[in-house]
Structure formats: structure tokens, C-alpha cells
Amino acid sequence: MISEMKQRVLIAEDSRVMAKVMQLNLARAGFEAEVAENGLLAWERLCEEPFDLLLTDFQMPEMEGDELCRLLRQCPLNADIPVILVSAKGFEIDVPGLKREVGIAAVIYKPFSPRQIVETVKRTLSPTPLIS
């Protein structure tokens, strides 16, 4: 019997509680979710292994989310994966600019519900329906 491979999500989040909530809820929804505690550790993981999606906080130690996204687009292994940005700084982020510059797929503002994270990840990773 062949088992279906789980889609892999890298969570870049410096809050241990927030990261654990996201990881547990994504795992319950059938994803393989791994946590990197800051932007630099996330960058290292993205250079080592393939992922299907990056879920990153905007404001983190070592490397912020926008810088991580810029570097990601230069990493051959994961350059084309979608990115969901999570932030408490809603009015301070140039969302249209980040969408143009680094291809952010979605932005989720804190506080959020775990259901919102799971639904946004599912929607972002689902194949787009063909328009006939």
C-alpha cells in the first residue's frame, strides 16, 4: 500500500507558544510541520531540504521575515514555494510591495485563530481550479 506524502510546511516563528499552536494544528490537518525559531535557522533549513510552503512571522530575531523571503527567492531548492506572512504589524507592512517583490501568497494578522492558519495553508497549497 502506497501512502500519500504529506505536504511539508516550515514555520519560522520565534514565539515558542505560537509556533507550537501552528505546528500542532497543521499536523492535525495532515501536514508535516517543522519549526525554525528564527529567520536565520529557517533560511538554513530552506537551503537543506525541500518544503511546500513557508509560514513566517514578520518580526523575528536574527533575520526578519521580509529578508528571509528575499533570500528564499534566491535558493534553488525552495525558490518557488508559496509564503504566508504572519504579523502583528498590520499597518507597518507594505503588503502590495512584498507581494510584488517576493511573491507573498497571503498575510495573516495577529491575533488569529488556529483554524485561520490551517484554512489559509490549505487554500494556498490547493491546486487552482481550471477556468473553462
Side-chain angles (χ1 to χ4, degrees), residues 100-120:
R100 276 190 315 274
E101 185 182 349
V102 292
I104 300 292
V107 178
I108 298 174
Y109 297 104
K110 295 177 183 177
F112 55 80
S113 73
R115 179 180 291 149
Q116 183 182 11
I117 290 288
V118 171
E119 288 172 357
T120 304

Side-chain angles (χ1 to χ4, degrees), residues 11 13 17-19 21-23 25 55-57 85-88 107-118 120:
I11 301 166
E13 172 62 63
V17 172
M18 188 81 65
V21 167
M22 289 189 277
Q23 184 180 32
N25 281 277
L55 179 60
T56 182
D57 190 11
L85 186 67
V86 178
S87 179
V107 178
I108 298 174
Y109 297 104
K110 295 177 183 177
F112 55 80
S113 73
R115 179 180 291 149
Q116 183 182 11
I117 290 288
V118 171
T120 304

Side-chain angles (χ1 to χ4, degrees), residues 34-101:
E34 181 180 325
V35 174
E37 297 161 2
N38 63 52
L40 186 58
L41 291 173
W43 168 241
E44 290 171 359
R45 291 299 295 136
L46 289 162
C47 291
E48 294 170 350
E49 290 187 41
F51 288 90
D52 296 297
L53 182 136
L54 171 64
L55 179 60
T56 182
D57 190 11
F58 181 77
Q59 194 170 17
M60 293 183 291
E62 306 298 328
M63 181 187 303
E64 294 202 347
D66 58 335
E67 185 180 353
L68 174 59
C69 291
R70 285 181 188 91
L71 286 173
L72 169 68
R73 298 306 179 209
Q74 300 170 25
C75 174
L77 191 57
N78 287 298
D80 296 327
I81 66 170
V83 175
I84 298 173
L85 186 67
V86 178
S87 179
K89 304 237 175 222
F91 294 111
E92 298 175 30
I93 299 173
D94 175 15
V95 174
L98 283 173
K99 283 186 176 187
R100 276 190 315 274
E101 185 182 349

